[in-house]
Amino acid sequence: RERVFMEGFNKLKNRFNELFKEVFPGSKAYIELEDPENIDSDILVYIEFKDKPKLPLSALSGGEKTAIILMLLLSIYSIGEDTVFLLDEVDAHLDIRNIENMSKVIRAQKKYNQIILVTLPGHDSMISIADHIIAVAYRNGVSKVFTLSKEYMERMIRE
Amino acid sequence: RERVFMEGFNKLKNRFNELFKEVFPGSKAYIELEDPENIDSDILVYIEFKDKPKLPLSALSGGEKTAIILMLLLSIYSIGEDTVFLLDEVDAHLDIRNIENMSKVIRAQKKYNQIILVTLPGHDSMISIADHIIAVAYRNGVSKVFTLSKEYMERMIRE
Amino acid sequence: PYLKKVEIKNYKTHRNTRIVFTDGINSIVGPNGVGKSNIIEAIIFALGERSLKTFRASSYNDLVYNNRKDIDLSVTLYIVDKDGNEHKFKRVYSPKKGGHKYRYNGKRVSRGSYIINLMKLGGEGFKYVYIQQGDILNKANATPRDIKNLVDDAL
Amino acid sequence: PYLKKVEIKNYKTHRNTRIVFTDGINSIVGPNGVGKSNIIEAIIFALGERSLKTFRASSYNDLVYNNRKDIDLSVTLYIVDKDGNEHKFKRVYSPKKGGHKYRYNGKRVSRGSYIINLMKLGGEGFKYVYIQQGDILNKANATPRDIKNLVDDAL
Ligand SMILES: Nc1ncnc2c1ncn2[C@@H]1O[C@H](COP(=O)(O)OP(=O)(O)OP(=O)(O)O)[C@@H](O)[C@H]1O
Ligand SMILES: Nc1ncnc2c1ncn2[C@@H]1O[C@H](COP(=O)(O)OP(=O)(O)OP(=O)(O)O)[C@@H](O)[C@H]1O
Ligand SMILES: [Mg+2]
Ligand SMILES: [Mg+2]
């Protein structure tokens, strides 16, 4: 049981560090068991951004928290590869650069999990990474929904 | 005591309806005491958007809720005229049109209250209504803050 | 497994909505109030969720298109398992008859069976992570204990 | 009353920040992580807030620039009342001395006096409404009872 947990935990940490290094080069992340000898102890998450002190996740800014928790969740569920993500406007507190960063992280995730996300127009990177764009409008008292596949749109553009 | 409450409550409702009509023409808002005879009863807020059913505030979409609660809070505190608003990224769930709507509502509020708000670059309307723009950057391990007054910037532009 | 298609009838603003998803990135986009979160809620509804708070409602009647009593709310999910087999899950709420019906691959089943079929789908079960609108910062404020529990459940 | 100026020394990312506000609209803008919310927190700190959760901290030492023990955290507010008189409120936290000091118009006072001076400022008191980042949807989920209480407090 200890071995199963440590294997999964190490996989998760490796995946997280991969994503973290990509998005925040020069910064460091620490995900550790409070008591390394006890696999039932709490998990601490500390982040040391470049030129900033080492802080717990709870002390970070709104945008920083969002980026870290998203990458953490994606790392955790990349292991089983069978979890579907339903993300409703998780980019609400991200600035334009972090929206783009997170969109790349989400796009890289598709080899592990299906992702269904909701975003507002204007968050272009979250739309550009989509294989299917589900455009929603409201007319005559009803939602109108159109599914556009990227493949179809690229073919349209070529013709 | 009953008269004091009803006076304030009616003022609040008038102010709210003024704002609401401006932002959502063709829609209706209902702010009522659960028991009109009892000034200590709960206050119900129901909104009937154009082409949509009459619903309680809690049932609305993220953007709709944000717009309604902001206008409600501004209406409530416009009566005393001495409350300062500290708003940290309240526009997070608003689309571009509602950001503009809310920026107009906030700008109209300044004759009643001082407003200090935080917003992300890209939410231009929230920046364009400012009398003072406080630009914040992070360099060499420290926040760098510059206060720019609109008046100063307009003078600069004229010269 | 992945969700291939959803058919929504009379769930809030969705009178008759059909969406085809891909086993990749699906972005639902549109301005405020058009019905984006309603789509996610409809999916969660069909997955068996029963907390009315999750649906921003105080009764199931609140979920029916225009709060009507004369029509039924139904959401159908087409889920593909790791062997490529398609499974059809349909949940119906009928204000007239006042209850929920569950159908798996066209056959009427108990709620219990329906949930079990979701959990053992193609051997591994349909698992999902749902981050509700406005909840991401709360998730980030998880305690070290919460994070340990989260990792344990996922592993 | 309105807040005319704030001086922040050693509050989180603000080593030495001076901001002049106007009795109108003040927009604080910048990308993620630069220190915008820290400004609002510093103002709330100087207004006497004591809930560490509000400051995303578990101890007051977490609020000091780079968690240093050798420097003091101070935030000074210049508030103008309805008669145009300026009032100076300064709150200091010293990790070395391990406590808080309060100064009103340059004179050392007890916390109690400090809070009372804020509440009776120029006859009407300095009142504020603070919507924390990420909290607006929670505010919108207020119950009818919460809204009644809110209106009562404001009236
Ligand atoms: N029973 C119902 N029948 C019809 N419409 C309803 C019903 N319940 C809620 N609605 C409407 O659904 C709309 C909310 O839809 P939804 O939450 O999906 O919007 P959204 O696209 O996610 O918007 P946002 O970007 O603001 O979050 C509201 O405008 C509300 O009026
Ligand atoms: N004691 C401290 N000393 C120095 N820096 C700190 C301290 N505590 C927190 N910080 C830093 O403050 C930053 C957060 O600042 P703040 O919350 O004001 O950002 P923000 O501009 O509001 O960003 P966002 O748009 O993402 O909400 C974090 O990057 C954190 O590293
Ligand atoms: Mg929504
Ligand atoms: Mg912030």
Short mmCIF file of all heavy atoms in Angstrom, two decimals, chain C residues 103-151:
data_model
loop_
_atom_site.label_atom_id
_atom_site.label_comp_id
_atom_site.label_asym_id
_atom_site.label_seq_id
_atom_site.Cartn_x
_atom_site.Cartn_y
_atom_site.Cartn_z
N ARG C 103 -32.62 5.31 -17.63
CA ARG C 103 -32.55 4.32 -18.70
C ARG C 103 -31.09 4.07 -19.06
O ARG C 103 -30.33 5.02 -19.30
CB ARG C 103 -33.27 4.81 -19.96
CG ARG C 103 -34.75 5.09 -19.78
CD ARG C 103 -35.44 5.32 -21.14
NE ARG C 103 -36.28 4.21 -21.52
CZ ARG C 103 -37.49 3.98 -21.03
NH1 ARG C 103 -38.01 4.81 -20.13
NH2 ARG C 103 -38.19 2.94 -21.43
N TYR C 104 -30.71 2.79 -19.12
CA TYR C 104 -29.38 2.43 -19.55
C TYR C 104 -29.48 1.63 -20.83
O TYR C 104 -30.15 0.59 -20.84
CB TYR C 104 -28.65 1.64 -18.45
CG TYR C 104 -27.31 1.09 -18.89
CD1 TYR C 104 -26.29 1.95 -19.32
CD2 TYR C 104 -27.07 -0.29 -18.90
CE1 TYR C 104 -25.07 1.46 -19.76
CE2 TYR C 104 -25.85 -0.79 -19.33
CZ TYR C 104 -24.86 0.10 -19.75
OH TYR C 104 -23.65 -0.39 -20.18
N ASN C 105 -28.86 2.11 -21.91
CA ASN C 105 -28.96 1.47 -23.22
C ASN C 105 -30.40 1.18 -23.60
O ASN C 105 -30.74 0.09 -24.09
CB ASN C 105 -28.12 0.18 -23.25
CG ASN C 105 -26.63 0.49 -23.27
OD1 ASN C 105 -26.21 1.61 -23.61
ND2 ASN C 105 -25.81 -0.48 -22.88
N GLY C 106 -31.27 2.17 -23.35
CA GLY C 106 -32.65 2.07 -23.76
C GLY C 106 -33.57 1.34 -22.80
O GLY C 106 -34.79 1.39 -22.93
N LYS C 107 -33.00 0.68 -21.81
CA LYS C 107 -33.83 -0.13 -20.90
C LYS C 107 -34.00 0.59 -19.56
O LYS C 107 -33.06 1.12 -18.99
CB LYS C 107 -33.12 -1.47 -20.69
CG LYS C 107 -33.92 -2.50 -19.89
CD LYS C 107 -33.38 -3.90 -20.16
CE LYS C 107 -33.46 -4.77 -18.89
NZ LYS C 107 -32.41 -4.38 -17.89
N ARG C 108 -35.22 0.60 -19.05
CA ARG C 108 -35.51 1.25 -17.78
C ARG C 108 -34.81 0.51 -16.65
O ARG C 108 -34.88 -0.72 -16.55
CB ARG C 108 -37.04 1.23 -17.54
CG ARG C 108 -37.50 1.77 -16.21
CD ARG C 108 -37.83 3.24 -16.26
NE ARG C 108 -38.00 3.78 -14.91
CZ ARG C 108 -39.17 3.95 -14.31
NH1 ARG C 108 -40.29 3.65 -14.93
NH2 ARG C 108 -39.21 4.44 -13.09
N VAL C 109 -34.07 1.24 -15.79
CA VAL C 109 -33.36 0.63 -14.66
C VAL C 109 -33.58 1.45 -13.40
O VAL C 109 -34.07 2.58 -13.46
CB VAL C 109 -31.83 0.54 -14.92
CG1 VAL C 109 -31.52 -0.38 -16.08
CG2 VAL C 109 -31.24 1.93 -15.16
N SER C 110 -33.20 0.87 -12.28
CA SER C 110 -33.29 1.61 -11.02
C SER C 110 -32.14 2.61 -11.00
O SER C 110 -31.15 2.47 -11.73
CB SER C 110 -33.15 0.66 -9.84
OG SER C 110 -31.81 0.17 -9.79
N ARG C 111 -32.27 3.59 -10.12
CA ARG C 111 -31.18 4.56 -9.98
C ARG C 111 -29.90 3.86 -9.57
O ARG C 111 -28.82 4.16 -10.08
CB ARG C 111 -31.56 5.65 -8.97
CG ARG C 111 -30.43 6.61 -8.73
CD ARG C 111 -30.68 7.63 -7.61
NE ARG C 111 -29.42 8.18 -7.16
CZ ARG C 111 -28.81 9.23 -7.73
NH1 ARG C 111 -29.38 9.85 -8.76
NH2 ARG C 111 -27.65 9.66 -7.26
N GLY C 112 -30.03 2.91 -8.68
CA GLY C 112 -28.87 2.16 -8.20
C GLY C 112 -28.12 1.48 -9.33
O GLY C 112 -26.89 1.57 -9.43
N SER C 113 -28.85 0.81 -10.21
CA SER C 113 -28.24 0.13 -11.37
C SER C 113 -27.55 1.13 -12.28
O SER C 113 -26.45 0.89 -12.78
CB SER C 113 -29.32 -0.53 -12.23
OG SER C 113 -29.67 -1.74 -11.71
N TYR C 114 -28.24 2.21 -12.51
CA TYR C 114 -27.72 3.28 -13.39
C TYR C 114 -26.36 3.75 -12.89
O TYR C 114 -25.38 3.81 -13.65
CB TYR C 114 -28.74 4.41 -13.36
CG TYR C 114 -28.53 5.57 -14.30
CD1 TYR C 114 -29.07 5.56 -15.58
CD2 TYR C 114 -27.86 6.71 -13.88
CE1 TYR C 114 -28.95 6.64 -16.43
CE2 TYR C 114 -27.72 7.80 -14.72
CZ TYR C 114 -28.26 7.77 -15.99
OH TYR C 114 -28.13 8.85 -16.83
N ILE C 115 -26.28 4.04 -11.60
CA ILE C 115 -25.03 4.54 -11.00
C ILE C 115 -23.95 3.45 -11.06
O ILE C 115 -22.78 3.73 -11.37
CB ILE C 115 -25.27 4.99 -9.54
CG1 ILE C 115 -26.29 6.13 -9.48
CG2 ILE C 115 -23.97 5.40 -8.87
CD1 ILE C 115 -25.87 7.41 -10.17
N ILE C 116 -24.33 2.20 -10.80
CA ILE C 116 -23.36 1.10 -10.85
C ILE C 116 -22.82 0.94 -12.27
O ILE C 116 -21.63 0.72 -12.48
CB ILE C 116 -23.99 -0.20 -10.32
CG1 ILE C 116 -24.08 -0.12 -8.79
CG2 ILE C 116 -23.18 -1.41 -10.74
CD1 ILE C 116 -24.87 -1.24 -8.15
N ASN C 117 -23.72 1.04 -13.26
CA ASN C 117 -23.27 0.94 -14.65
C ASN C 117 -22.25 2.03 -14.99
O ASN C 117 -21.29 1.80 -15.73
CB ASN C 117 -24.46 0.99 -15.60
CG ASN C 117 -25.11 -0.37 -15.75
OD1 ASN C 117 -24.42 -1.38 -15.95
ND2 ASN C 117 -26.43 -0.43 -15.65
N LEU C 118 -22.47 3.23 -14.45
CA LEU C 118 -21.52 4.33 -14.66
C LEU C 118 -20.19 4.01 -13.99
O LEU C 118 -19.12 4.30 -14.53
CB LEU C 118 -22.08 5.64 -14.10
CG LEU C 118 -22.99 6.45 -15.03
CD1 LEU C 118 -23.73 7.53 -14.23
CD2 LEU C 118 -22.18 7.09 -16.15
N MET C 119 -20.25 3.40 -12.84
CA MET C 119 -19.03 3.16 -12.05
C MET C 119 -18.20 2.01 -12.59
O MET C 119 -17.00 1.95 -12.35
CB MET C 119 -19.40 2.89 -10.58
CG MET C 119 -20.13 4.06 -9.96
SD MET C 119 -19.70 4.28 -8.21
CE MET C 119 -20.20 2.71 -7.52
N LYS C 120 -18.84 1.05 -13.29
CA LYS C 120 -18.05 -0.09 -13.77
C LYS C 120 -17.95 -0.12 -15.29
O LYS C 120 -17.53 -1.09 -15.87
CB LYS C 120 -18.62 -1.41 -13.21
CG LYS C 120 -20.00 -1.77 -13.70
CD LYS C 120 -20.40 -3.14 -13.14
CE LYS C 120 -21.77 -3.57 -13.60
NZ LYS C 120 -21.88 -3.70 -15.07
N LEU C 121 -18.29 0.97 -15.90
CA LEU C 121 -18.28 1.10 -17.35
C LEU C 121 -17.02 0.54 -17.98
O LEU C 121 -15.93 1.00 -17.71
CB LEU C 121 -18.37 2.60 -17.68
CG LEU C 121 -18.78 2.96 -19.07
CD1 LEU C 121 -20.28 2.84 -19.19
CD2 LEU C 121 -18.33 4.36 -19.39
N GLY C 122 -17.18 -0.46 -18.85
CA GLY C 122 -16.02 -1.00 -19.55
C GLY C 122 -14.88 -1.37 -18.60
O GLY C 122 -13.72 -1.32 -18.97
N GLY C 123 -15.22 -1.68 -17.37
CA GLY C 123 -14.19 -2.14 -16.44
C GLY C 123 -13.58 -1.06 -15.57
O GLY C 123 -13.06 -1.35 -14.49
N GLU C 124 -13.60 0.17 -16.03
CA GLU C 124 -12.90 1.17 -15.22
C GLU C 124 -13.81 2.29 -14.70
O GLU C 124 -13.43 3.01 -13.81
CB GLU C 124 -11.76 1.77 -16.04
CG GLU C 124 -12.21 2.20 -17.41
CD GLU C 124 -11.12 2.86 -18.21
OE1 GLU C 124 -9.96 2.88 -17.76
OE2 GLU C 124 -11.43 3.40 -19.29
N GLY C 125 -15.00 2.43 -15.24
CA GLY C 125 -15.91 3.44 -14.72
C GLY C 125 -15.69 4.81 -15.31
O GLY C 125 -14.59 5.15 -15.74
N PHE C 126 -16.77 5.59 -15.34
CA PHE C 126 -16.69 6.96 -15.85
C PHE C 126 -16.39 7.89 -14.67
O PHE C 126 -17.22 8.07 -13.78
CB PHE C 126 -18.02 7.35 -16.52
CG PHE C 126 -17.97 8.71 -17.16
CD1 PHE C 126 -17.46 8.87 -18.44
CD2 PHE C 126 -18.43 9.84 -16.48
CE1 PHE C 126 -17.40 10.12 -19.04
CE2 PHE C 126 -18.38 11.10 -17.07
CZ PHE C 126 -17.86 11.23 -18.36
N LYS C 127 -15.17 8.44 -14.66
CA LYS C 127 -14.80 9.33 -13.55
C LYS C 127 -14.70 10.76 -14.09
O LYS C 127 -14.27 10.97 -15.23
CB LYS C 127 -13.44 8.91 -12.97
CG LYS C 127 -13.38 7.47 -12.50
CD LYS C 127 -12.30 7.31 -11.44
CE LYS C 127 -11.77 5.89 -11.39
NZ LYS C 127 -10.69 5.65 -12.38
N TYR C 128 -15.08 11.71 -13.27
CA TYR C 128 -14.97 13.09 -13.73
C TYR C 128 -14.61 14.02 -12.58
O TYR C 128 -14.86 13.72 -11.41
CB TYR C 128 -16.28 13.54 -14.39
CG TYR C 128 -17.45 13.62 -13.44
CD1 TYR C 128 -17.84 14.84 -12.90
CD2 TYR C 128 -18.17 12.48 -13.08
CE1 TYR C 128 -18.91 14.92 -12.02
CE2 TYR C 128 -19.24 12.56 -12.21
CZ TYR C 128 -19.61 13.77 -11.69
OH TYR C 128 -20.67 13.84 -10.83
N VAL C 129 -14.01 15.15 -12.95
CA VAL C 129 -13.67 16.20 -12.00
C VAL C 129 -14.43 17.45 -12.45
O VAL C 129 -14.28 17.87 -13.60
CB VAL C 129 -12.15 16.51 -12.01
CG1 VAL C 129 -11.84 17.75 -11.19
CG2 VAL C 129 -11.37 15.33 -11.48
N TYR C 130 -15.23 18.00 -11.59
CA TYR C 130 -16.07 19.14 -11.97
C TYR C 130 -15.65 20.36 -11.15
O TYR C 130 -15.68 20.34 -9.93
CB TYR C 130 -17.54 18.79 -11.70
CG TYR C 130 -18.52 19.94 -11.79
CD1 TYR C 130 -18.40 20.94 -12.75
CD2 TYR C 130 -19.61 20.01 -10.91
CE1 TYR C 130 -19.31 21.98 -12.83
CE2 TYR C 130 -20.53 21.05 -10.99
CZ TYR C 130 -20.38 22.03 -11.94
OH TYR C 130 -21.29 23.06 -12.03
N ILE C 131 -15.20 21.41 -11.86
CA ILE C 131 -14.91 22.66 -11.15
C ILE C 131 -16.00 23.66 -11.53
O ILE C 131 -16.04 24.17 -12.65
CB ILE C 131 -13.52 23.22 -11.48
CG1 ILE C 131 -12.46 22.17 -11.14
CG2 ILE C 131 -13.25 24.48 -10.65
CD1 ILE C 131 -11.03 22.64 -11.29
N GLN C 132 -16.88 23.91 -10.57
CA GLN C 132 -18.02 24.79 -10.77
C GLN C 132 -17.56 26.23 -10.97
O GLN C 132 -16.50 26.64 -10.46
CB GLN C 132 -18.92 24.70 -9.54
CG GLN C 132 -20.34 25.14 -9.72
CD GLN C 132 -21.21 24.80 -8.52
OE1 GLN C 132 -20.74 24.51 -7.43
NE2 GLN C 132 -22.52 24.84 -8.72
N GLN C 133 -18.35 27.00 -11.70
CA GLN C 133 -18.00 28.39 -11.94
C GLN C 133 -17.84 29.13 -10.61
O GLN C 133 -18.73 29.08 -9.75
CB GLN C 133 -19.11 29.04 -12.78
CG GLN C 133 -18.79 30.44 -13.23
CD GLN C 133 -19.79 30.96 -14.26
OE1 GLN C 133 -20.75 30.27 -14.62
NE2 GLN C 133 -19.57 32.16 -14.74
N GLY C 134 -16.73 29.81 -10.43
CA GLY C 134 -16.48 30.56 -9.21
C GLY C 134 -15.80 29.76 -8.11
O GLY C 134 -15.46 30.30 -7.05
N ASP C 135 -15.59 28.47 -8.34
CA ASP C 135 -15.07 27.61 -7.28
C ASP C 135 -13.57 27.39 -7.31
O ASP C 135 -13.01 26.82 -6.36
CB ASP C 135 -15.79 26.25 -7.36
CG ASP C 135 -15.82 25.54 -6.02
OD1 ASP C 135 -15.94 26.22 -4.98
OD2 ASP C 135 -15.69 24.30 -6.01
N ILE C 136 -12.90 27.80 -8.38
CA ILE C 136 -11.47 27.48 -8.52
C ILE C 136 -10.63 28.05 -7.37
O ILE C 136 -9.72 27.37 -6.88
CB ILE C 136 -10.93 27.93 -9.91
CG1 ILE C 136 -9.49 27.48 -10.10
CG2 ILE C 136 -11.05 29.43 -10.13
CD1 ILE C 136 -9.32 26.02 -10.44
N LEU C 137 -10.92 29.27 -6.91
CA LEU C 137 -10.11 29.82 -5.83
C LEU C 137 -10.37 29.07 -4.52
O LEU C 137 -9.46 28.90 -3.70
CB LEU C 137 -10.37 31.33 -5.65
CG LEU C 137 -9.80 32.23 -6.76
CD1 LEU C 137 -10.02 33.70 -6.41
CD2 LEU C 137 -8.31 31.98 -6.99
N ASN C 138 -11.59 28.60 -4.32
CA ASN C 138 -11.88 27.81 -3.12
C ASN C 138 -11.07 26.51 -3.15
O ASN C 138 -10.54 26.07 -2.14
CB ASN C 138 -13.37 27.47 -3.03
CG ASN C 138 -14.22 28.71 -2.85
OD1 ASN C 138 -13.77 29.71 -2.29
ND2 ASN C 138 -15.44 28.66 -3.33
N LYS C 139 -11.01 25.90 -4.36
CA LYS C 139 -10.22 24.67 -4.51
C LYS C 139 -8.76 24.96 -4.15
O LYS C 139 -8.07 24.15 -3.53
CB LYS C 139 -10.28 24.16 -5.95
CG LYS C 139 -11.62 23.59 -6.38
CD LYS C 139 -11.66 22.07 -6.24
CE LYS C 139 -12.89 21.43 -6.79
NZ LYS C 139 -14.08 21.65 -5.95
N ALA C 140 -8.28 26.16 -4.56
CA ALA C 140 -6.88 26.51 -4.30
C ALA C 140 -6.64 26.77 -2.82
O ALA C 140 -5.51 26.71 -2.34
CB ALA C 140 -6.48 27.74 -5.11
N ASN C 141 -7.71 27.05 -2.09
CA ASN C 141 -7.56 27.28 -0.65
C ASN C 141 -7.70 25.99 0.15
O ASN C 141 -7.92 26.01 1.35
CB ASN C 141 -8.60 28.31 -0.17
CG ASN C 141 -8.24 29.72 -0.63
OD1 ASN C 141 -7.07 30.05 -0.81
ND2 ASN C 141 -9.25 30.55 -0.83
N ALA C 142 -7.55 24.87 -0.55
CA ALA C 142 -7.62 23.57 0.13
C ALA C 142 -6.52 23.46 1.19
O ALA C 142 -5.42 23.98 1.00
CB ALA C 142 -7.45 22.45 -0.90
N THR C 143 -6.83 22.78 2.29
CA THR C 143 -5.82 22.57 3.33
C THR C 143 -4.93 21.39 2.92
O THR C 143 -5.29 20.61 2.05
CB THR C 143 -6.50 22.19 4.66
OG1 THR C 143 -7.15 20.93 4.49
CG2 THR C 143 -7.50 23.24 5.09
N PRO C 144 -3.75 21.27 3.56
CA PRO C 144 -2.88 20.12 3.28
C PRO C 144 -3.63 18.79 3.47
O PRO C 144 -3.38 17.82 2.75
CB PRO C 144 -1.77 20.29 4.31
CG PRO C 144 -1.66 21.77 4.47
CD PRO C 144 -3.09 22.28 4.41
N ARG C 145 -4.58 18.76 4.39
CA ARG C 145 -5.38 17.55 4.60
C ARG C 145 -6.27 17.27 3.40
O ARG C 145 -6.39 16.14 2.92
CB ARG C 145 -6.24 17.72 5.88
CG ARG C 145 -6.94 16.46 6.35
CD ARG C 145 -5.99 15.42 6.89
NE ARG C 145 -5.95 14.22 6.10
CZ ARG C 145 -5.01 13.30 6.14
NH1 ARG C 145 -3.96 13.45 6.93
NH2 ARG C 145 -5.06 12.21 5.39
N ASP C 146 -6.91 18.34 2.90
CA ASP C 146 -7.78 18.20 1.72
C ASP C 146 -6.98 17.66 0.54
O ASP C 146 -7.46 16.79 -0.21
CB ASP C 146 -8.37 19.56 1.31
CG ASP C 146 -9.27 20.15 2.36
OD1 ASP C 146 -9.95 19.39 3.07
OD2 ASP C 146 -9.31 21.40 2.46
N ILE C 147 -5.78 18.18 0.36
CA ILE C 147 -4.96 17.78 -0.78
C ILE C 147 -4.56 16.31 -0.65
O ILE C 147 -4.56 15.55 -1.62
CB ILE C 147 -3.73 18.71 -0.92
CG1 ILE C 147 -4.21 20.12 -1.24
CG2 ILE C 147 -2.78 18.20 -1.99
CD1 ILE C 147 -3.13 21.17 -1.35
N LYS C 148 -4.25 15.88 0.59
CA LYS C 148 -3.92 14.47 0.82
C LYS C 148 -5.11 13.59 0.45
O LYS C 148 -4.97 12.57 -0.25
CB LYS C 148 -3.51 14.26 2.28
CG LYS C 148 -3.29 12.79 2.68
CD LYS C 148 -2.10 12.19 1.93
CE LYS C 148 -1.61 10.88 2.51
NZ LYS C 148 -2.34 9.70 1.98
N ASN C 149 -6.30 13.98 0.89
CA ASN C 149 -7.50 13.20 0.58
C ASN C 149 -7.75 13.13 -0.93
O ASN C 149 -8.12 12.08 -1.46
CB ASN C 149 -8.72 13.81 1.28
CG ASN C 149 -8.65 13.66 2.79
OD1 ASN C 149 -8.00 12.75 3.31
ND2 ASN C 149 -9.30 14.55 3.51
N LEU C 150 -7.52 14.27 -1.58
CA LEU C 150 -7.72 14.35 -3.02
C LEU C 150 -6.79 13.36 -3.74
O LEU C 150 -7.23 12.61 -4.62
CB LEU C 150 -7.42 15.79 -3.48
CG LEU C 150 -7.65 16.15 -4.92
CD1 LEU C 150 -9.13 16.10 -5.25
CD2 LEU C 150 -7.12 17.55 -5.20
N VAL C 151 -5.53 13.36 -3.34
CA VAL C 151 -4.55 12.47 -3.97
C VAL C 151 -4.90 11.00 -3.68
O VAL C 151 -4.85 10.16 -4.57
CB VAL C 151 -3.12 12.80 -3.49
CG1 VAL C 151 -2.12 11.76 -3.98
CG2 VAL C 151 -2.71 14.18 -3.98
#
